[in-house]
Amino acid sequence: VLARVMRSGVEESTHGGHVAVCDADGRLLAVAGDPDREVFARSCLKPLQAAVALQLIDEDLTDREIAVMCSSHNGESVHLRAVHALLQRAGLTTASLRCPPAWPLDPDVMASAGRRRRELHDCSGKHAGMLLACVDAGYERATYLARSHPLQRRIRRATLAAIDRDDTRVGVDGCGAPIFTGAVRDWATLFARLGQPDRLGSVAEGAELAVGAMLAEPYLVGGRGRLDTDVMAVTGEVLVKEGAEALTCASIPALGLGIAVRAEDGGERAVGPALIRALRDLGAITRGDVTELREHARPVVLGGGRPVGEIVSDLMLRRPR
């Protein structure tokens, strides 16, 4: 069990799942659930996707522009400005992104949008970065989301190398880009290596830029009230990226570790409490950090508009057999 939902003193729901903690050699050091559970990387792959794109981009980008390439952003104005800046560099418009329409992830922004969906998908930063890479490398732009496109082939090769696999199943992410499967432990290994970018071979330089930008501009990675943004802002050194279907990964460079947390039912409300519990147990964050991150560590359960409980994690990591 990753997290328990407590309402008025009663355990109302539980979320089961899987956790893997690995080092940059791929060694599995701590687990909960099944670390070999195969899952799509979803948006947790964005730092590596950005690293591949950055190897092809022939100009110096700002940290904000690079961070938004790694983002699943809320759709706040600061995010939209960064995406438009990337598109302007490429000489393109939002029509080139080929993302489906989507509601902004931030509730306040969504409310102000009324019935009109925003033009920029939460993955639009990734797409804008990919398009800029295509422009600078001379790749075809209209088909940049096809799995056979040279950029996507580069990303697939980099992914396989980063998780020491010879093959992977390829799917379609919510934004339309190709996405890959791997075990929970594979994604923990990837994030351990993001904390040591030289372990990522040909994309090491791009990975170093991506990680540095995410830590320098965490608000561009998610935004208001987001788990990854807030953990990076509070710690200044623990790299976190949220993904769909309740997969969230973190890199702990000071310990040389990566961690992946996945709720089996896709229940994203379980991931914050579980991740923060695991980070605390590993010594990656302090008790004071947990206090600052309370809204993620113990989210409030409401009844009649007032707090009547909370979501808690009693996650216990164990040594692998």
Side-chain angles (χ1 to χ4, degrees):
V1 174
L2 294 185
R4 297 181 294 117
V5 181
M6 304 299 298
R7 177 181 296 275
S8 303
V10 176
E11 183 180 276
E12 186 171 33
S13 302
T14 61
H15 293 276
H18 318 286
V19 182
V21 180
C22 294
D23 65 15
D25 291 324
R27 290 178 295 198
L28 184 64
L29 304 180
V31 301
D34 180 8
D36 294 313
R37 171 73 160 91
E38 290 275 314
V39 299
F40 282 112
R42 303 302 296 268
S43 287
C44 293
L45 195 64
K46 283 178 178 174
L48 188 64
Q49 291 168 315
V52 175
L54 287 165
Q55 298 292 121
L56 299 171
I57 293 173
D58 191 26
E59 50 195 295
D60 294 330
L61 305 184
T62 67
D63 281 340
R64 287 194 168 195
E65 290 168 332
I66 297 173
V68 87
M69 288 172 61
C70 304
S71 75
S72 302
H73 62 73
N74 274 349
E76 299 169 61
S77 58
V78 66
H79 305 118
L80 305 187
R81 286 196 298 270
V83 175
H84 282 294
L86 287 170
L87 289 171
Q88 186 174 16
R89 285 183 182 272
L92 301 174
T93 68
T94 56
S96 301
L97 293 171
R98 299 181 183 274
C99 300
W103 293 111
L105 298 183
D106 182 86
D108 292 338
V109 177
M110 184 168 67
S112 67
R115 295 184 178 181
R116 182 178 60 84
R117 293 190 180 193
R118 280 293 179 95
E119 61 182 356
L120 292 182
H121 191 281
D122 53 280
C123 297
S124 56
K126 174 183 75 177
H127 287 249
M130 287 181 174
L131 283 167
L132 179 56
C134 289
V135 169
D136 285 359
Y139 291 162
E140 169 64 45
R141 299 193 307 271
T143 60
Y144 83 103
L145 294 179
R147 67 177 65 182
S148 60
H149 190 277
L151 175 63
Q152 302 303 337
R153 292 204 306 268
R154 278 177 174 264
I155 291 171
R156 183 175 183 274
R157 289 195 298 270
T159 301
L160 291 173
I163 59 177
D164 299 324
R165 287 177 66 136
D166 296 323
D167 200 6
T168 180
R169 297 184 68 177
V170 183
V172 181
D173 210 340
C175 62
I179 198 62
F180 314 109
T181 57
V184 174
R185 65 189 294 171
D186 290 333
W187 307 128
T189 298
L190 167 61
F191 271 71
R193 291 173 177 173
L194 283 169
Q196 300 176 28
D198 60 309
R199 300 294 301 271
L200 291 171
S202 63
V203 298
E205 183 179 356
E208 185 172 5
L209 289 171
V211 169
M214 291 174 71
L215 291 173
E217 296 285 353
Y219 203 88
L220 272 292
V221 177
R224 179 170 43 226
R226 296 287 295 281
L227 173 64
D228 44 16
T229 287
D230 291 346
V231 174
M232 289 189 286
V234 167
T235 66
E237 60 182 6
V238 177
L239 183 84
V240 181
K241 184 68 192 77
E242 297 177 79
E245 294 301 319
L247 175 68
T248 293
C249 299
S251 175
I252 313 166
L255 301 178
L257 301 176
I259 180 170
V261 178
R262 171 57 147 77
E264 181 64 26
D265 62 358
E268 295 180 0
R269 65 180 180 175
V271 175
L275 177 68
I276 291 171
R277 170 76 182 227
L279 290 173
R280 180 71 178 96
D281 287 353
L282 292 168
I285 59 176
T286 67
R287 188 181 300 274
D289 294 335
V290 175
T291 299
E292 285 193 66
L293 294 166
R294 181 180 173 82
E295 68 175 287
H296 301 292
R298 302 177 77 94
V300 170
V301 172
L302 298 176
R306 61 184 180 84
V308 296
E310 56 189 0
I311 304 172
V312 299
S313 178
D314 304 318
L315 175 69
M316 296 291 290
L317 295 174
R318 58 177 174 80
R319 291 181 179 272
R321 295 176 182 174

